Amino acid sequence: DKGVETSDKGVETSDKGVETSGGDVGASKSSVPSSSPPPSSARRLFDWHLANVEFSNSDTLDRSSFRHWDQDDPHEMQGSHCFVPGGHSRWVHRLCEGLPIFYDSPVRELCYGSSGVVAHCDGRSFSADAAVVTLPLGVLQAGSVTFSPALPPRKSRAIARMRFGTLNKVALLFPRAFWGDQIDMFGRLPSSSVSRGEAFLFYSSAGLSGGAVLIALMAGRAAVEHEKRPAAEA
């Protein structure tokens, strides 16, 4: 779902929207007419793909790196899009089976070196050969955890200049799944470039759970504007 891709089985384009069969999102070769489409339709389709890039980076195009916007693509799991029944937490629960987990033990200092690492918590310490640090960016920027020795300058600079992006998901509940249970996701062509990221892509849970629920994605400037709305309007 990153960037602009083409696929013979992915997308049908029309003035009504972009529909997918659960494969990669992109422009289907078989659906592109031999003659050039009207400029308005071509622009709307182009804006949809721009919104998809903004969704992939959780930011607007003018704040995304032209060089590195797709840097995580080589590390993605290959294959079709899929949903995990019961949520992705099931992966974590399975991987944690048999492992000791200590709650209410926030790490205050992490000492590391050639002999291993020591994590100092409130009232206790843990030693290991290595530590996998997955602290949120906000915690790292706040300096809530001390590293000894201090992190290398290149890492500290990267932490300081990074920031959070904005991406919103809106759950829509309907009396029935009027779109059927055979479509995992489908898109909507924007009416204007300004609102290209507003509900441009929908995920369906009908085929997964049977519920008539669509998850609408808000990306780019549409996501930023959505954040500004009062709770009653959002």
Side-chain angles (χ1 to χ4, degrees), residues 68-127:
H68 298 295
W69 68 272
D70 61 346
Q71 63 181 354
D72 62 334
D73 282 7
H75 309 290
E76 287 187 335
M77 291 186 291
Q78 301 301 309
S80 301
H81 291 277
C82 63
F83 295 94
V84 180
H88 290 282
S89 61
R90 296 185 62 188
W91 292 97
V92 178
H93 294 158
R94 177 59 63 88
L95 293 172
C96 289
E97 288 182 356
L99 297 178
I101 299 177
F102 299 91
Y103 295 98
D104 298 321
S105 301
V107 176
R108 303 301 182 185
E109 182 182 19
L110 188 65
C111 301
Y112 64 98
S114 58
S115 59
V117 297
V118 179
H120 297 288
C121 306
D122 290 339
R124 64 191 311 172
S125 298
F126 299 91
S127 300

Side-chain angles (χ1 to χ4, degrees), residues 28-40:
S28 171
K29 296 178 182 177
S30 60
S31 65
V32 177
S34 56
S35 59
S36 299
S40 59

Side-chain angles (χ1 to χ4, degrees), residues 14-58:
S14 69
D15 289 339
K16 296 181 179 179
V18 180
E19 298 182 355
T20 78
S21 58
D24 292 335
V25 177
S28 171
K29 296 178 182 177
S30 60
S31 65
V32 177
S34 56
S35 59
S36 299
S40 59
S41 297
R43 180 67 209 191
R44 292 173 67 194
L45 180 58
F46 182 64
D47 280 332
W48 187 93
H49 284 292
L50 294 181
N52 195 40
V53 174
E54 293 177 322
F55 155 67
S56 301
N57 291 274
S58 297

